[in-house]
Amino acid sequence: MITIKDIADKCGVSIATVSRAFSSNSIISPHTKEKILKTAEELGYRPNLMARGLKNSKTQTVGIIIPSIDNYFYLDVLKHLELNLHKFSYRLLVNFIQHNGYNEADALCAMEDSQTDALIFSPRNTQNSEIVNRLKNKTNLLQLFTAPYKDISSVVTNDVYGVKKATEYLISNGYSRILYVGGDERVKGYFNALSNAGIIADNDLVLLNWENSPEIIKEKIISKKADAVIGIARQAETVWHALSRLYKDNHLNIPFIAYDDVNWVKMLDISAVAHPLDKIAEYIVEYIISRNKNNSEKLYKKIVKPFLIKRSSTNFSN
């Protein structure tokens, strides 16, 4: 197995110099560092970041708990986050919450033993406060997208604003019987937009169930004479199947906006509420770097606004 001694011998430098070359704050000349890194690559050497980190209490590892393995949106989040962390030599350790009983508490406990420099999670509530308080003394915690813990740093998106903008766009184009399909976390934006436009909300046009079937959605559109639909997160895919059946069986083409601009939404040219994932990833990395450099206990709070992308599913000229 190739060691840093092998690299040092080949480059004609000390072992300490080789070690510094793999450090993000190394004090060696750029020429020497480049030579060492190139030699390491040629020899097939990979630094053991975890072992080195345990000596200086830094592992260059960031943990993240993903709340749903079935939501394509989180895969996009991971891609952007990993790319940004890689620039600073951080590795990403991922833990998915499953639907087989492996819950947030299990994921938090698993990450507790991982010696990460920071832990990112998206808690729905504060039911695991005992574990979270224990983790606060061991690593830097950051809430992502949701922030029920008021004393923990966070990067969140204003999803109520996102739904409001989508609803306003449909209303501005003459639609008022808008069906909302998804959870209750964002529905306030829908009601706000209707109220501001002087439209009396029909609660029968709101499906706050994450498990609606395409048939249920299709029948709701027909029975309530919905003239447009907003589908939230993973329910957006179910809405699309419902609309496809509706077009096939009843020749009705209903305007549709998906919440989360994931790959299948882009491929089908569906209008969507999107998140600035690069900016979110930048904020996360900024938090991690600043905490590991300064050990500051000051709360880090960032709120990011989603934006609407208009595509053919809301082409009102047809």
Side-chain angles (χ1 to χ4, degrees):
M1 183 177 70
I2 301 298
T3 67
I4 60 173
K5 184 178 185 304
D6 299 318
I7 300 171
D9 291 342
K10 188 171 180 62
C11 293
V13 297
S14 67
I15 293 176
T17 300
V18 174
S19 181
R20 292 191 190 100
F22 289 105
S23 173
S24 59
N25 60 351
S26 57
I27 308 175
I28 60 174
S29 71
H31 174 75
T32 301
K33 182 171 183 176
E34 182 181 357
K35 179 181 178 181
I36 291 171
L37 295 180
K38 184 177 180 180
T39 301
E41 184 177 0
E42 292 173 351
L43 295 176
Y45 174 77
R46 292 293 181 270
N48 188 336
L49 295 176
M50 183 69 78
R52 187 179 70 203
L54 290 176
K55 295 179 182 179
N56 59 18
S57 300
K58 302 296 181 185
T59 63
Q60 294 295 112
T61 304
V62 175
I64 184 169
I65 297 173
I66 297 299
S68 173
I69 197 172
D70 301 322
N71 192 330
Y72 301 124
F73 169 71
Y74 289 110
L75 299 180
D76 286 340
V77 172
L78 288 176
K79 179 179 71 174
H80 284 79
L81 182 55
E82 196 280 331
L83 287 172
N84 278 269
L85 286 171
H86 181 72
K87 298 174 185 177
F88 297 91
S89 300
Y90 279 93
R91 297 183 303 165
L92 194 59
L93 181 62
V94 183
N95 200 328
F96 286 94
I97 293 176
Q98 306 283 357
H99 297 299
N100 60 359
Y102 185 82
N103 55 30
E104 182 186 80
D106 296 323
L108 288 169
C109 289
M111 286 295 190
E112 186 176 7
D113 298 325
S114 299
Q115 301 290 335
T116 58
D117 293 339
L119 175 58
I120 305 163
F121 68 127
S122 301
R124 294 180 62 87
N125 50 50
T126 59
Q127 66 178 4
N128 293 312
S129 58
E130 182 178 344
I131 304 172
V132 169
N133 287 330
R134 195 166 67 233
L135 278 165
K136 282 168 58 179
N137 298 320
K138 297 183 177 183
T139 189
N140 296 307
L141 293 180
L142 180 69
Q143 299 174 101
L144 181 61
F145 300 125
T146 60
Y149 295 96
K150 303 308 176 186
D151 60 339
I152 295 177
S153 295
S154 61
V155 175
V156 300
T157 52
N158 191 340
D159 291 323
V160 170
Y161 169 85
V163 168
K164 183 172 180 284
K165 299 304 291 185
T167 309
E168 287 175 342
Y169 178 61
L170 292 171
I171 292 172
S172 69
N173 283 278
Y175 297 89
S176 59
R177 301 286 299 165
I178 304 167
L179 178 65
Y180 174 96
V181 185
D184 61 359
E185 300 91 347
R186 306 173 175 95
V187 73
K188 183 179 178 181
Y190 167 84
F191 286 123
N192 285 346
L194 292 177
S195 177
N196 291 343
I199 299 172
I200 299 175
D202 183 348
N203 289 329
D204 285 340
L205 283 172
V206 178
L207 294 177
L208 300 181
N209 184 345
W210 285 113
E211 306 303 329
N212 293 295
S213 68
E215 197 59 33
I216 288 175
I217 296 171
K218 175 189 170 186
E219 291 304 316
K220 178 66 74 171
I221 292 172
I222 294 173
S223 64
K224 300 303 297 182
K225 295 182 171 56
D227 55 13
V229 186
I230 297 173
I232 307 299
R234 65 177 184 269
Q235 275 286 282
E237 188 171 359
T238 310
V239 169
W240 180 250
H241 287 302
L243 293 176
S244 298
R245 295 180 188 181
L246 191 64
Y247 182 77
K248 178 181 179 182
D249 299 339
N250 302 77
H251 302 291
L252 290 177
N253 191 6
I254 305 294
F256 171 45
I257 297 177
Y259 202 99
D260 290 341
D261 192 35
V262 293
N263 283 340
W264 71 267
V265 171
K266 298 173 185 174
M267 289 174 59
L268 294 174
D269 204 36
I270 296 170
S271 296
V273 177
H275 297 85
L277 295 181
D278 277 333
K279 177 57 67 176
I280 291 171
E282 287 175 14
Y283 282 148
I284 293 172
V285 172
E286 180 181 81
Y287 165 79
I288 294 168
I289 297 298
S290 64
R291 281 301 172 95
N292 285 342
K293 181 181 292 186
N294 304 322
N295 292 318
S296 171
E297 295 185 1
K298 183 179 179 181
L299 286 181
Y300 183 91
K301 301 278 189 179
K302 295 291 184 181
I303 300 176
V304 182
K305 282 187 176 181
F307 57 96
L308 180 64
I309 299 176
K310 302 166 188 176
R311 299 193 179 105
S312 64
S313 68
T314 52
N315 186 351
F316 305 116
S317 62
N318 290 344

